Every structure is written in C-alpha cells, then in structure tokens.
Amino acid sequence: MDKLKKVLSGQDTEDRGGLSEVVEATSLSSGTRIKGFIACFAAGILCSLLGTLLLWVPRKGLYLFAVFYTFGNIASLGSTAFLMGPMKQLKRMFEPTRLIATVMVLVSCVLHLPCVLPFGGTTKGLLSSSVFCSLWP
C-alpha cells in the first residue's frame, strides 16, 4: 500500500530491477515467520501423534501410521524453513558436518512408507522400517 502511495504521489522515482522486487514481495515479517513455524510444527506434532494413535486400528492401522508419521516428520522438519528461510536452511543442512545426519533423516522419511506398505501392513514391515529409522544417530 505504501508503494502504491509513493508511485501515485510521484515520490518513487528509482528504477528497481525485477529481482529486488521479487525479493521484497516474497520476504516475510518476523511475526509471520513465527506464526508459520508454530502452525507447521503443531501440524507435524499432531500428525505424528495421530499416526501413533492410529497404529492400533485393526487392518489399516499400519498404513495410517506410516502415512501420518511420515507427513508429521516432514511438516516438523519443514517448519524451521519459516524461521531462517528455505535456502539458508538447505545450505546449513548440507554443510559437511551435518551431511550424514541430513541424508539419514531424509532417507528414513522416504523409506518409511515403502518398508510398511509392500509387506501388506504387517508387523514385519513396521519392524524393519523402525529398525532402519533408529539406526541413524
């Protein structure tokens, strides 16, 4: 709104490049970043807890657990992108000191679904995925 007022009053005479306009339009205020973090982290915790509670549903419990638990982990990891920005988070995640832990977390999130679902939702699939997910430090 302020930019519109400046343009209409003739005060905005500087020629901005397209990139600076995009950066200005896509940046979030600190309050919005905190709200986004809290909402995304709460959704991740809720999905993880819901997945754990749905584990004991007959027949479909393991499927529901795998789906909700995986989405909960992804939402919880993604919530920190609101605090520091997605590119800065990715750069920090793939620093040499954090590379092994990052790869193991991402692999365990991706492999959690295929470990449970192909076995028909058996305890064998859940056990194998849980053992793999617990191997990373």
Side-chain angles (χ1 to χ4, degrees), residues 24-88:
E24 185 179 310
T26 58
S27 63
L28 299 174
S29 68
S30 60
T32 305
R33 288 179 184 269
I34 297 295
K35 290 175 188 174
F37 167 75
I38 291 171
C40 199
F41 191 72
I45 295 291
L46 182 69
C47 282
S48 295
L49 288 176
L50 186 62
T52 303
L53 293 175
L54 291 174
L55 184 60
W56 287 279
V57 171
R59 296 186 188 179
K60 297 287 183 184
L62 291 176
Y63 294 115
L64 295 172
F65 168 75
V67 171
F68 279 105
Y69 192 73
T70 301
F71 285 143
N73 284 336
I74 291 169
S76 295
L77 285 173
S79 67
T80 56
F82 282 103
L83 293 179
M84 66 178 74
M87 291 307 295
K88 190 173 182 182

Side-chain angles (χ1 to χ4, degrees), residues 100-118:
I100 295 172
T102 299
V103 169
M104 292 304 292
V105 166
L106 294 177
V107 166
S108 67
C109 283
V110 169
L111 289 182
H112 198 224
L113 288 174
C115 284
V116 173
L117 299 180

